[in-house]
Amino acid sequence: MNLSIMAGPGRTPAQPKAAAPATEAAARAGLAAQGVIYLLVGLLALQVAFGRREAQADQQGALATLSDQPFGAVLLWALGIGLVGMALWRLSEAVFGGAGPDGRKPHMRLLALGRCLFYSYVAYSVLRFTVSGDGGGSGDEKSRDATATALDLPAGRWLVAVGGAVIVVAGVWIGVQAVRRTYRETLKTGEMSPAGRRLADVTGIGGGVTRGLLFAAIGTFAVQAAVKHRSDEAKGLDDTLRTFADTALGPWLLAVVALGLVLFGVFSFVLAARRRV
């Protein structure tokens, strides 16, 4: 983990401390695990776009795909452990600060804590699937159930609407950050070849914009569920992806979005290899 020390007047900035080997290994394993999931979801979405409608383009579908491979159980355990590493790395960023010039600022620590909680849940879901073959239902079912529970709370419609709006804003922020190429602040660009930097830009921008678009779409459906007071209006990743195929552009738009997810999967592998931790 890089703990940048700001130099005072007339001082040379100190070199950031290197991450502990265990923390760096956890971070790289987690980023690789993230890449596997996005890559598989993107490939499943491509299958949906080109006619295989029974394919489930979400985390549950990705896990089922892995489990059907030779040594599937080993692959699932490796994925789950990698995601545990991701959660622990994000926790360390929340406690000690992360890489980059803003890594130790309060808002970045808070963001790291949110990511820690998110990846803790994802890791739990993967390990649960690995042990029992049950991931707790599809992402679409989980979204509808969570929305229904929230709508039944006092001021539930406002709660769901605000939550959906936050997700939309997060999606826009993710897309803008990708276009601005802020990810370069955390990459060891000096150790990368020109081809490697081009790969990072193509996958980082294309994948990041696609990821932001999906967040914004999921948040929009949540807001719609609040306005109509209908939990079935909320959509998980699979249903959200399928809505792209229902537009005027048909399955070709879904294919483009699916390729964007594949790009983000590749970008995660770039981060696993070249990110400063």
Side-chain angles (χ1 to χ4, degrees):
M1 180 146 357
N2 285 339
L3 300 178
S4 299
I5 302 174
M6 300 303 294
R11 295 176 56 194
T12 302
Q15 290 297 322
K17 294 181 181 178
T23 302
E24 182 170 354
R28 301 199 187 286
L31 289 166
Q34 173 183 267
V36 169
I37 291 177
Y38 273 96
L39 187 62
L40 288 174
V41 171
L43 293 175
L44 288 167
L46 277 174
Q47 292 182 23
V48 174
F50 291 112
R52 188 169 172 245
R53 302 293 290 180
E54 71 276 11
Q56 186 177 332
D58 60 9
Q59 177 183 299
Q60 191 82 350
L63 298 180
T65 300
L66 273 184
S67 68
D68 291 338
Q69 306 306 309
F71 305 104
V74 174
L75 295 173
L76 287 171
W77 275 110
L79 189 68
I81 293 170
L83 290 167
V84 170
M86 174 74 94
L88 292 175
W89 169 46
R90 294 304 189 182
L91 177 61
S92 74
E93 286 192 320
V95 175
F96 301 111
D102 298 330
R104 301 181 70 184
K105 292 184 178 179
H107 72 281
M108 295 303 293
R109 291 175 185 265
L110 185 60
L111 181 60
L113 179 60
R115 286 169 170 166
C116 170
L117 296 174
F118 172 75
Y119 282 107
S120 295
Y121 175 74
V122 174
Y124 165 76
S125 299
V126 171
L127 292 174
R128 175 178 173 178
F129 183 94
T130 303
V131 172
S132 65
D134 176 20
S138 70
D140 298 321
E141 292 171 346
K142 292 176 183 177
S143 294
R144 287 191 292 267
D145 291 345
T147 303
T149 300
L151 286 174
D152 289 339
L153 296 173
R157 294 177 72 173
W158 284 104
L159 180 64
V160 173
V162 170
V166 169
I167 296 173
V168 171
V169 171
V172 173
W173 181 80
I174 288 170
V176 170
Q177 293 295 89
V179 172
R180 292 179 60 202
R181 297 186 290 190
T182 57
Y183 54 81
R184 286 186 169 185
E185 297 174 1
T186 60
L187 283 174
K188 300 177 181 179
T189 52
E191 300 177 9
M192 299 171 67
S193 66
R197 289 193 291 272
R198 284 194 295 272
L199 176 64
D201 283 340
V202 170
T203 58
I205 295 173
V209 168
T210 300
R211 187 164 172 256
L213 173 64
L214 285 173
F215 268 76
I218 290 171
T220 299
F221 288 125
V223 172
Q224 185 172 299
V227 171
K228 296 184 177 181
H229 204 272
R230 290 179 51 184
S231 61
D232 59 352
E233 293 288 334
K235 298 182 186 296
L237 180 57
D238 182 64
D239 274 353
T240 299
L241 285 167
R242 291 174 190 272
T243 60
F244 290 105
D246 296 333
T247 65
L249 296 176
W252 292 106
L253 179 58
L254 174 55
V256 170
V257 174
L259 286 173
L261 289 174
V262 171
L263 287 177
F264 191 79
V266 175
F267 179 64
S268 296
F269 296 138
V270 174
L271 290 175
R274 294 298 183 182
R275 195 187 195 281
R276 288 190 288 111
V277 180

